Amino acid sequence: EPEVTQTPSHQVTQMGQEVILRCVPISNHLYFYWYRQILGQKVEFLVSFYNNEISEKSEIFDDQFSVERPDGSNFTLKIRSTKLEDSAMYFCASSPGTGGSFFGQGTRLTVV
Amino acid sequence: GQSLEQPSEVTAVEGAIVQINCTYQTSGFYGLSWYQQHDGGAPTFLSYNALDGLEETGRFSSFLSRSDSYGYLLLQELQMKDSASYFCAVKGNNRLAFGKGNQVVVIP
């Protein structure tokens, strides 16, 4: 069964460093998303991406964040200068457009 | 904007039925989704209602009333593996807005 894959599963980085989280969405899906979940809290929307551009972003998605689809399969989230409060589980998701979104297993980011 | 209200925790015995409610306020609505999340895991898509009424998928059913901005997820014939958090999520034009979730604990 097709699935969204994310790498790495865990990432530890020092404050101020840049990180890139990688995702391979389901191949025939058209909509791609990044969400994050701080431990014990709800899932929060970061950004959606369609037709090679950002379609919507939340207030969390500030200038430190960027997304890219560098080729036909990968979808990346970059955090330019990480802060302690960026520590969270980051989920990539994709959707065919209608119905539900399908999530990857997440990348646990720890900023120290 | 969007806001979703869900009660926090439910404990039920195996074989029982649990209903998880969700009320929402949103400026843009395409449908209501439900997701299951086990501790440390990813949200898993369960069901989606774009129109009023009941959608049944095996032991799980989901209901939507757009006029009442209300939906529920019905878990039937509960199994131990159903112990998880359950989230409703409003599907807007370009995003899902998740509720805080409801922890379901299934006991023998």
Side-chain angles (χ1 to χ4, degrees):
Chain A
E1 187 169 326
E3 60 180 13
V4 176
T5 57
Q6 288 184 244
T7 55
S9 55
H10 293 85
Q11 174 91 47
V12 180
T13 188
Q14 287 195 323
M15 194 168 54
Q17 294 297 302
E18 175 183 286
V19 294
I20 297 176
L21 309 183
R22 302 181 191 279
C23 170
V24 178
I26 295 173
S27 60
N28 62 346
H29 284 186
L30 302 175
Y31 297 81
F32 314 118
Y33 311 87
W34 283 100
Y35 293 84
R36 78 171 187 191
Q37 188 175 33
I38 294 169
L39 188 64
Q41 298 186 22
K42 67 178 181 179
V43 176
E44 299 174 291
F45 168 77
L46 292 177
V47 65
S48 57
F49 194 86
Y50 170 73
N51 201 26
N52 287 320
E53 61 183 21
I54 291 174
S55 44
E56 187 172 345
K57 57 185 180 181
S58 73
E59 55 282 356
I60 302 169
F61 195 89
D62 61 22
D63 292 343
Q64 294 299 311
F65 291 86
S66 62
V67 290
E68 201 174 49
R69 189 155 161 82
D71 53 44
S73 58
N74 290 285
F75 180 51
T76 62
L77 174 70
K78 182 192 289 186
I79 309 175
R80 249 179 287 281
S81 177
T82 50
K83 305 186 284 288
L84 293 177
E85 54 265 38
D86 293 328
S87 295
M89 183 74 98
Y90 287 80
F91 292 108
C92 173
S94 69
S95 163
T98 58
S101 293
F102 295 84
F103 285 71
Q105 288 303 306
T107 293
R108 182 171 297 285
L109 177 65
T110 303
V111 182
V112 297
Chain B
Q2 295 167 316
S3 67
L4 293 93
E5 295 294 326
Q6 286 187 265
S8 56
E9 186 171 314
V10 156
T11 300
V13 297
E14 277 186 290
I17 298 173
V18 163
Q19 178 172 316
I20 304 169
N21 299 314
C22 175
T23 57
Y24 60 87
Q25 288 182 310
T26 181
S27 55
F29 181 84
Y30 283 72
L32 190 69
S33 304
W34 289 92
Y35 290 82
Q36 178 192 64
Q37 187 178 32
H38 288 98
D39 277 348
T44 301
F45 172 67
L46 293 177
S47 70
Y48 175 73
N49 294 70
L51 303 174
D52 287 356
L54 192 68
E55 293 281 342
E56 296 180 78
T57 311
R59 295 186 296 113
F60 296 171
S61 303
S62 59
F63 172 83
L64 174 66
S65 168
R66 294 175 68 132
S67 59
D68 295 322
S69 297
Y70 164 77
Y72 67 73
L73 178 70
L74 195 69
L75 313 178
Q76 301 178 81
E77 300 171 29
L78 277 177
Q79 300 176 7
M80 298 298 290
K81 66 180 181 179
D82 297 331
S83 291
S85 292
Y86 292 85
F87 295 87
C88 62
V90 166
K91 185 176 173 70
N93 189 27
N94 294 305
R95 65 163 77 185
L96 285 172
F98 282 78
K100 292 180 182 176
N102 188 309
Q103 180 80 28
V104 173
V105 177
V106 182
I107 57 176

